[in-house]
Amino acid sequence: MKEFKKIKKFFSPLAKSRINGTSLDNDAALLELSSLKNLVVTTDTLVEKIHFGLTDNPYLIAKKLMRINLSDLAAMGSSPLAYLLNLALPKKVTDQWLGRFTLGLKEDQKKYNIFLAGGDTVATTGPIVLSLTAFGSNQKGLYHKRSGAKEGDFIFVSGTVGDSALGLVSIKKELKIPKKDREFLIQKYFLPEPRISLGEKLLTIASSAIDVSDGLAQDINHICMSSGIGAQLFFSKLPISSSAKLLLKNYPRFKKKILNGGDDYEIVFTASSELEKKIETLSKKTRIKITKIGVMTRAKRFKILDHQNHEIKIKHLGYQHF
Amino acid sequence: MKEFKKIKKFFSPLAKSRINGTSLDNDAALLELSSLKNLVVTTDTLVEKIHFGLTDNPYLIAKKLMRINLSDLAAMGSSPLAYLLNLALPKKVTDQWLGRFTLGLKEDQKKYNIFLAGGDTVATTGPIVLSLTAFGSNQKGLYHKRSGAKEGDFIFVSGTVGDSALGLVSIKKELKIPKKDREFLIQKYFLPEPRISLGEKLLTIASSAIDVSDGLAQDINHICMSSGIGAQLFFSKLPISSSAKLLLKNYPRFKKKILNGGDDYEIVFTASSELEKKIETLSKKTRIKITKIGVMTRAKRFKILDHQNHEIKIKHLGYQHF
């Protein structure tokens, strides 16, 4: 009963439904889909002590949980529709924590036009475990695949890469960089910006797409594996923010974070070389930086090349997958 | 990387898709819905030490996790379509545990015609946390609500009630009852039978429906609250298995488990009194016991009456909700 009341108090205000018949009181949520051809579904779990700390701001944890899922929708070219929450909460979670957590959700619901359709809240003797499942719709029936890249396609990425991983480093270690650069990087770690609108606009342009979550190299490797071809990535072409450049100048040992850091939630996509001009125009129109960073190759190898065309070897990129 | 391989090894065989474009490799799952008007979504979380023990059979944990969700679909009159898994796994979880867990899922996938469409597996320093999100379809656009009960409608329940809660008591305490009765009750606790087919058949009969998960009294109270009316439940009419009767004869103090035990996953529904004959016929045809146990009343009170029409008071049934 106590659990029911807690759910009602904190989460009912998030469940104002655009969908007839849906409410947190029901056994299950009903999503009316009359005009939709398909539904895109994605889910992510964050665990205290693994992905966040108890003293981290619950307002930001909520937004990160929401946005990493929305980024998966963006990578499919979907627009957000509804979400579910599964929460395993230990006794130490206070009403204040829940209040700030739900405030973060509330703000992002509004920002991304999505609402809470249901979920489950249970007790646990261990760390907080938070799962969010997001539903998106692809109105025109189009969606991005990882498997569509063709030989000769260029590889592009939105925004800048590595900021989030370097932000995490800046939280864990005391590095000598200006306060505003440190804050910029940490902000990028806590508050990724899912590329929803770009993902949709790329539906008629990209031959494949993925969001940068596991690390740029790993994610491009996913495209290679799914598409059954290889790629060359030009390290010197990678878009790196001025704050990240500053940090790397002082601490060059963190350079690898650019390639394997992950958590950027930018979109990496491939497109026919003929579409390069169109992509430049899209970048100007949307004011989202889009950078050409590589090319897909017939050879089933994923190579990362430095400015002298020498291969940069990194761990955990198993060609054995081919 | 290790995590990826673990997912592939154990869970990819469960993801043989009936749906074009869906695979565990993608950022998100794509559900093609061309012929569906709506989608029913439900989710439940089970936590080690709260809902199960580490030494419990993972094969049965998997089936229970699946079936409590399918029971929610049944209560909506939906047929199973696909599911997602979110697993937070500590290091102590062995490959043997995962093997038996996935075997349980595999068997139930076949039994209930459902398949794995995606999910997320993460590490945790705490207990195992398992979430399953199930999708069902309501082909004809019909579904059960909790809110449709009318004054004078009869209340019915499928199967027997209390077995599961008494099964749990039998696990925790050493009670003097014959082995076969003990085993029957424990089986009912571990392996609920979601009433999928009955749920669908009731779509044109029931005015409201819910599955018995929180406890019979609590769940009927949910119908009262949602429908804005009251109910009288006749305790002496409740369908109780012979094993449960035997246990209660020796241990009458557990009688309240019949009303508040929960976890039966039978369907409680209301229907116009005129449909009683039709329901009897349905019961005979489907060979599922269906018992009339009460009536909906105009007075916004939920009363439980004994065989002398005296009210039985139980805790945790807040009329304050009205």
Side-chain angles (χ1 to χ4, degrees), chain B residues 6 121 137 191 231 254 260 277:
Chain B
K6 194 170 263 186
T121 308
S137 59
L191 269 188
F254 292 127
N260 64 20
K277 270 267 169 282

Side-chain angles (χ1 to χ4, degrees), chain A residues 25 29 31 39 41 45 120 146, chain B residues 25 29 31 39 41 45 120 146:
Chain A
D25 286 334
L31 304 178
L39 195 74
V41 183
T45 299
D120 195 17
R146 295 180 179 184
Chain B
D25 286 333
L31 304 178
L39 195 74
V41 184
T45 299
D120 195 17
R146 293 181 180 185

Side-chain angles (χ1 to χ4, degrees), chain A residues 19-32 117, chain B residues 38-43 68-80 134-147 194-204 206 208-212 266-269:
Chain A
I19 291 177
N20 192 17
T22 303
S23 103
L24 291 193
D25 286 334
N26 269 320
D27 281 311
L30 185 89
L31 304 178
E32 288 196 356
Chain B
N38 54 48
L39 195 74
V40 172
V41 184
T42 184
T43 186
I68 59 179
N69 276 290
L70 295 185
S71 179
D72 282 331
L73 294 187
M76 298 280 279
S78 295
S79 55
F135 303 97
S137 59
N138 288 31
Q139 302 272 1
K140 289 174 195 163
L142 286 173
Y143 59 95
H144 297 300
K145 298 172 210 172
R146 293 181 180 185
S147 57
R195 298 292 191 184
I196 304 269
S197 148
L198 181 65
E200 285 184 271
K201 290 198 171 73
L202 287 172
L203 280 170
T204 53
S208 73
I210 193 169
D211 67 328
V212 183
E266 296 294 344
I267 294 186
V268 180
F269 64 97

Side-chain angles (χ1 to χ4, degrees), chain A residues 1 4-5 8 20-22 24-34 36-51 71-73 75-76 84-88 118-127 129 131-133 135 138 143-147 209-211 213-214 218 222 226 316-318 320-321, chain B residues 1 4-5 8 20-22 24-34 36-51 71-73 75-76 84-88 118-127 129 131-133 135 138 143-147 209-211 213-214 218 222 226 316-318 320-321:
Chain A
M1 282 297 288
F4 291 163
K5 280 192 189 159
K8 278 230 184 258
N20 192 17
T22 303
L24 291 193
D25 286 334
N26 269 320
D27 281 311
L30 185 89
L31 304 178
E32 288 196 356
L33 304 163
S34 45
L36 301 179
K37 286 192 178 162
N38 54 47
L39 195 74
V40 172
V41 183
T42 184
T43 186
D44 279 291
T45 299
L46 297 181
V47 179
E48 182 203 339
K49 290 180 195 168
I50 305 283
H51 305 101
S71 179
D72 282 331
L73 294 187
M76 298 279 280
L84 309 174
L85 277 179
N86 292 63
L87 311 175
D120 195 17
T121 308
V122 295
T124 178
T125 59
V129 180
S131 295
L132 191 147
T133 302
F135 303 98
N138 288 32
Y143 58 95
H144 297 300
K145 298 173 213 174
R146 295 180 179 184
S147 58
I210 191 169
D211 67 328
S213 53
D214 297 333
Q218 184 68 59
H222 285 318
S226 297
H316 299 314
L317 255 188
Q320 73 274 17
H321 287 294
Chain B
M1 284 299 288
F4 290 163
K5 280 191 191 160
K8 278 230 183 261
N20 192 17
T22 303
L24 291 193
D25 286 333
N26 269 321
D27 280 312
L30 184 89
L31 304 178
E32 287 195 359
L33 304 162
S34 45
L36 301 180
K37 285 192 178 160
N38 54 48
L39 195 74
V40 172
V41 184
T42 184
T43 186
D44 279 292
T45 299
L46 296 182
V47 179
E48 181 203 339
K49 290 180 194 168
I50 304 284
H51 304 102
S71 179
D72 282 331
L73 294 187
M76 298 280 279
L84 308 175
L85 276 179
N86 292 64
L87 311 176
D120 195 17
T121 308
V122 294
T124 178
T125 59
V129 179
S131 295
L132 191 148
T133 302
F135 303 97
N138 288 31
Y143 59 95
H144 297 300
K145 298 172 210 172
R146 293 181 180 185
S147 57
I210 193 169
D211 67 328
S213 52
D214 296 334
Q218 183 69 59
H222 285 317
S226 297
H316 298 313
L317 255 189
Q320 74 274 17
H321 288 293

Side-chain angles (χ1 to χ4, degrees), chain B residues 256-303:
Chain B
K256 60 185 173 195
K257 292 281 176 193
I258 302 294
L259 288 167
N260 64 20
D263 265 6
D264 285 311
Y265 302 103
E266 296 294 344
I267 294 186
V268 180
F269 64 97
T270 59
S272 162
S273 58
E274 291 163 21
L275 294 172
E276 194 176 358
K277 270 267 169 282
K278 203 168 176 178
I279 290 163
E280 279 170 22
T281 310
L282 178 66
S283 171
K284 272 176 203 153
K285 260 193 192 166
T286 57
R287 292 182 188 173
I288 297 171
K289 185 184 175 80
I290 299 177
T291 311
K292 184 169 79 174
I293 57 172
V295 64
M296 300 303 294
T297 60
R298 180 186 296 209
K300 291 187 181 183
R301 281 212 54 190
F302 174 38
K303 277 189 187 178

Side-chain angles (χ1 to χ4, degrees), chain A residues 253-318:
Chain A
R253 69 177 187 278
F254 294 126
K255 257 189 184 169
K256 61 186 173 194
K257 292 280 178 195
I258 301 295
L259 288 167
N260 64 20
D263 264 10
D264 285 311
Y265 303 103
E266 295 295 345
I267 293 188
V268 181
F269 63 97
T270 59
S272 161
S273 57
E274 292 163 19
L275 295 172
E276 195 176 357
K277 270 266 169 282
K278 203 169 177 180
I279 291 163
E280 278 171 23
T281 311
L282 177 67
S283 171
K284 272 175 201 154
K285 261 193 192 165
T286 57
R287 292 184 189 171
I288 297 172
K289 185 185 177 80
I290 300 177
T291 311
K292 183 169 78 174
I293 57 171
V295 64
M296 300 303 293
T297 60
R298 180 186 297 209
K300 289 186 180 182
R301 280 211 55 191
F302 174 38
K303 278 190 188 179
I304 304 166
L305 303 172
D306 68 13
H307 64 287
Q308 291 176 305
N309 262 2
H310 292 145
E311 187 167 354
I312 302 171
K313 297 263 186 191
I314 66 167
K315 280 183 197 170
H316 299 314
L317 255 188

